[in-house]
Amino acid sequence: MTSAALTATVDLDAIAHNISVLRETSRTDVLAVVKADAYGHGAVPVARAALAAGAAELGVAVIGEGLALRAAGIDAHITTWLHTNSADFAAAIAADLDLALSSRRQLAAVVAAARSAGTTATASVKLDTGLGRSGVAPDEWADFADDLAKAVAEGAVQVRALMCHLARGDEPDHPLNSQQAARLDDARADLVRVGAAPEIMHIANSPAALTRPDLARDLVRPGIAIYGGAPIPGRDFGLIPAMTLRAQVALVKRIAAGQGVSYGHTWVADRDTTIAVIPAGYADGVPRPASGRLRIRIGDRVVDQVGRICMDQFVIDLGPEAGGIAEGDWAELFGTGADGGQRAQDWADAVGTIDYEIVSGIGARAVREYVGAAADRLGLR
């Protein structure tokens, strides 16, 4: 344990286990999504652990994330798929990043950067097959395909993949999932016809990778499942949550019946009791709307969080007897759910969100530490 008062411990063996589950269930290779600092788990350690566990390649959202992986010495195939007018395509091409493109404008900018560098850019095509977000729009598709064919013929671009994002992947039987896959298949036929055939295709996100192997094509592209989250709440896929958030008790003290706790006194002690202050708050990713709804495991007990969650701290009620809990003891805020503890999904349920938001929102004050045999093999502890 580090000397930090707030730690996010990441079990890289859990990451490896989850990669294995995804490979076995989808019956294909895995593109491990490590965007947003690997959903708050640490992009470089997770990327290395995922690749060591058999992931074929990596995916991120923005070019800067891909460049950071390259700077760390990671030479695996990396796809990046969210670009603005200020995107540094020249740096991305120099770093051999795969640029997934969503418009003719983006394609033209990549072609210009490749020409300037006197090289061939690796690009993928991101198609909007029904999500209505990023991706080449249906009414632009024919012109985009023609532009791409010209870029390929010129040698400015080589086409690696054709991809899309599912709108309703967490509803495995929804007909839109199959419709989106069919639209992507049709688009591939278009690209073959114009001489810009992609090498591979990928569609499936975490829930589809675990429930719809028929959508896998050449790769699956999971995110939250890698981290042991719940792609479809209520269904158990044998995944292991990788992050455990812990904090050291900062203060233990007695308060009298009738004393309010924290801002607004939204909780008032109904008997003489003992409280403990935990040094984590909404600046660290503890959701303020979860005030009074969390359960915290400390020692062999699970106790209530009481009062409003503050920016840097919150309070737990230890009861009339402190039960041996002292300043400096460690409290588990969330983890695997063992021994009555909560998971990130429980926090998400408390505030009506998803566990993706919980784990990716854990702030920088929580020191990341890495455990497991995979961490030892990678020299991370």
Side-chain angles (χ1 to χ4, degrees):
M1 188 68 69
T2 72
S3 60
L6 181 63
T7 65
T9 301
V10 178
D11 183 353
L12 294 182
D13 288 349
I15 298 287
H17 167 83
N18 297 335
I19 292 288
S20 295
V21 170
L22 286 156
R23 294 180 70 198
E24 292 168 7
T25 304
S26 66
R27 302 193 291 273
T28 192
D29 286 328
V30 169
L31 183 162
V33 178
V34 294
K35 65 180 181 178
D37 199 28
Y39 290 46
H41 293 66
V44 171
V46 169
R48 288 178 174 154
L51 292 167
E57 51 193 76
L58 305 170
V60 295
V62 298
I63 288 170
E65 294 173 323
L67 296 177
L69 293 174
R70 286 284 187 255
I74 293 173
D75 60 4
H77 191 94
I78 301 172
T79 303
T80 176
W81 51 73
L82 182 61
H83 317 295
T84 66
N85 287 352
S86 61
D88 191 349
F89 290 127
I93 292 169
D96 193 27
L97 300 182
D98 181 347
L99 297 160
L101 307 176
S102 291
S103 71
R104 295 179 73 194
R105 177 195 60 76
Q106 291 180 6
L107 174 58
V110 167
V111 169
R115 286 173 180 161
S116 179
T119 192
T120 300
T122 300
S124 289
V125 177
K126 190 170 187 296
L127 184 64
D128 182 2
T129 58
L131 180 59
R133 198 182 62 179
S134 296
V136 180
D139 64 353
E140 189 183 11
W141 173 244
D143 290 334
F144 179 95
D146 287 342
D147 292 350
L148 184 64
K150 293 173 184 175
V152 170
E154 176 189 333
V157 168
Q158 63 178 9
V159 184
R160 175 72 194 316
L162 176 63
M163 62 182 285
C164 70
H165 275 73
L166 294 174
R168 308 187 78 151
D170 56 354
E171 302 171 71
D173 297 326
H174 197 284
L176 183 58
N177 294 313
S178 296
Q179 291 168 11
Q180 287 191 252
R183 290 167 187 161
L184 201 70
D185 291 338
D186 290 344
R188 183 185 186 283
D190 292 339
L191 294 181
V192 169
R193 187 170 58 253
V194 300
E199 297 173 14
I200 62 171
M201 295 202 308
H202 44 91
I203 301 171
N205 55 3
S206 287
L210 292 164
T211 62
R212 293 290 303 269
D214 59 306
L215 301 182
R217 301 304 185 268
D218 301 294
L219 289 170
V220 292
R221 200 177 61 242
I224 194 64
I226 293 170
Y227 309 99
I232 304 176
R235 292 190 58 173
D236 183 3
F237 297 101
L239 304 171
I240 301 173
M243 181 188 288
T244 298
L245 185 66
R246 296 184 179 91
Q248 200 171 26
V249 174
L251 181 69
V252 175
K253 68 180 186 181
R254 299 279 296 170
I255 63 170
Q259 173 64 54
V261 164
S262 195
Y263 293 122
H265 285 181
T266 57
W267 183 84
V268 176
D270 61 2
R271 78 282 196 223
D272 292 348
T273 192
T274 305
I275 61 169
V277 175
I278 304 297
Y282 56 78
D284 305 296
V286 185
R288 188 174 183 271
S291 296
R293 301 179 183 179
L294 302 182
R295 302 272 290 163
I296 305 300
R297 188 163 74 87
I298 183 165
D300 59 358
R301 304 170 61 196
V302 178
V303 299
D304 291 327
Q305 177 273 318
V306 296
R308 282 193 185 148
I309 292 166
C310 308
M311 179 177 283
D312 312 302
Q313 56 191 290
F314 64 80
V315 175
I316 57 176
D317 178 21
L318 299 177
E321 303 296 330
I325 303 302
E327 294 171 7
D329 287 349
W330 285 90
E332 180 183 289
L333 312 191
F334 67 70
T336 64
D339 300 321
Q342 292 203 309
R343 304 159 301 150
Q345 182 61 47
D346 296 311
W347 281 28
D349 291 343
V351 295
T353 188
I354 53 177
D355 52 358
Y356 304 57
E357 183 176 358
I358 299 300
V359 293
S360 64
I362 300 304
R365 290 194 298 195
V367 174
R368 271 62 173 177
E369 57 182 24
Y370 297 91
V371 299
D376 292 334
R377 287 192 296 271
L378 295 170
L380 294 171
R381 66 170 184 171

